[in-house]
Amino acid sequence: MTPASSEIINVESRTPRVRRFKAVASTILRRNDRIAFSISLGSGLLTIALLAGILYQLIFLSLPAIQRYGLGFLISSEWDPVHKKFGALPFIYGTLVSSAIALLIATPFGIGTALYLTELAPRKLRGIIAFVVDMLAAIPSVVYGLWGIFVLAPFIQESIAPILQKYLGFLPLFQGRCDGVSMLTAGLILAIMVVPFITAIAREVLLTAPGELKAASLALGATEWETIWKVILPYSRVGIGAGVVLALGRALGETMAVTMVIGNMPEISASILRPGHSMAAVIANEFREADSAIYLSVLVEIGLVLFAVALVINLAARLLLWRMRGVAKN
């Protein structure tokens, strides 16, 4: 028997084993795929069930307040727990205004920091600056609140507010006495807290911009700033918008730091130098003081309103991102 024929016989004798091995391996792979699919599906359904459970509990516990006050609860400014008169409008107003101030300040700083880290900073500094920015997100909110009370609030009262009133006092936004704790202070604290979120996401998105686009723009004679403004930012605007949405969600739900610097006064004022209140702050401040079932139900309804506001804003932002993505593709 020649060596060639012996090789053929050995291969043929091993063929059934190979087939069995392939069949077993295929069965194991299919089973693993089914397990992975089941785990993924279960995780998604569990998340939906958890969200539905939270929403159900909020609605169930707030039903007494909803039935008693109706839609007037959302447009009333009166807050008198002693006489059982409640209105959520000052808290809704304070939450939206402080979050808007935070985004107006944090968005340009966050995007600018991300651009510097990805396009302009020396390589040796990028890691250090990125680490410092990330550390801002790790600081507990109560520490921000303490810093806001002892440092930021006096600084605003003594330095910032007089300048704003002197040069912009003709605007309703900057009128009235400022005691340090105010809507502006809360907005600044929130801005510092959400800058790391915007920076981190914007940085990751900017890093995904194809280098060919930048090289082509520079080759056509554009300056580095023209390339950033007209090429890189338009390409990355959808992802940056997602970072701003994430920052808005953090700003809407922040409790401790805002509670410590916003003033906790349930009033509506056009001036951001005046104290205000927020939905998360009133829940944290008065939940343990609720001495009646209707008082407790009202606080839970404020939580439901906060949930709804966050949901509506996130849905609107998601629709905007989808629209922007569609325009970018076209």
Side-chain angles (χ1 to χ4, degrees), residues 195-310:
V195 159
F197 293 90
I198 299 177
T199 301
I201 295 180
R203 182 188 175 198
E204 295 300 323
V205 172
L206 290 170
L207 288 174
T208 63
E212 294 82 359
L213 292 178
K214 181 179 179 181
S217 177
L218 295 174
L220 291 173
T223 64
E224 190 167 13
W225 278 109
E226 287 176 335
T227 300
I228 292 174
W229 185 256
K230 297 182 179 180
V231 176
I232 296 177
L233 284 178
Y235 179 86
S236 308
R237 60 179 180 174
V238 175
I240 293 174
V244 174
V245 172
L246 178 62
L248 177 59
R250 172 66 190 273
L252 287 173
E254 178 54 41
T255 304
M256 186 55 65
V258 174
T259 302
M260 298 171 73
V261 299
I262 199 171
N264 299 321
M265 293 185 64
E267 63 178 29
I268 297 177
S269 174
S271 175
I272 62 175
L273 301 179
R274 297 293 302 157
H277 220 323
S278 70
M279 289 185 280
V282 70
I283 295 173
N285 284 335
E286 303 189 19
F287 196 84
R288 297 183 66 87
E289 299 177 3
D291 54 0
S292 63
I294 192 63
Y295 193 179
L296 182 63
S297 181
V298 164
L299 294 177
V300 176
E301 186 178 1
I302 292 178
L304 177 63
V305 174
L306 178 60
F307 182 93
V309 169

Side-chain angles (χ1 to χ4, degrees), residues 61-131:
L61 294 175
S62 61
L63 271 179
I66 295 174
Q67 294 172 351
R68 180 167 179 173
Y69 300 106
L71 293 177
F73 177 75
L74 302 177
I75 59 176
S76 173
S77 300
E78 188 174 9
W79 187 262
D80 186 2
V82 176
H83 297 92
K84 304 298 186 293
K85 296 179 180 180
F86 301 100
L89 188 58
F91 313 112
I92 299 174
Y93 176 80
T95 300
L96 295 179
V97 171
S98 60
S99 299
I101 294 172
L103 285 188
L104 287 175
I105 298 172
T107 299
F109 275 97
I111 297 175
T113 304
L115 283 173
Y116 179 75
L117 291 175
T118 56
E119 303 293 334
L120 303 173
R123 290 187 176 274
K124 293 182 179 180
L125 290 179
R126 291 181 182 179
I128 298 174
I129 297 175
F131 174 77

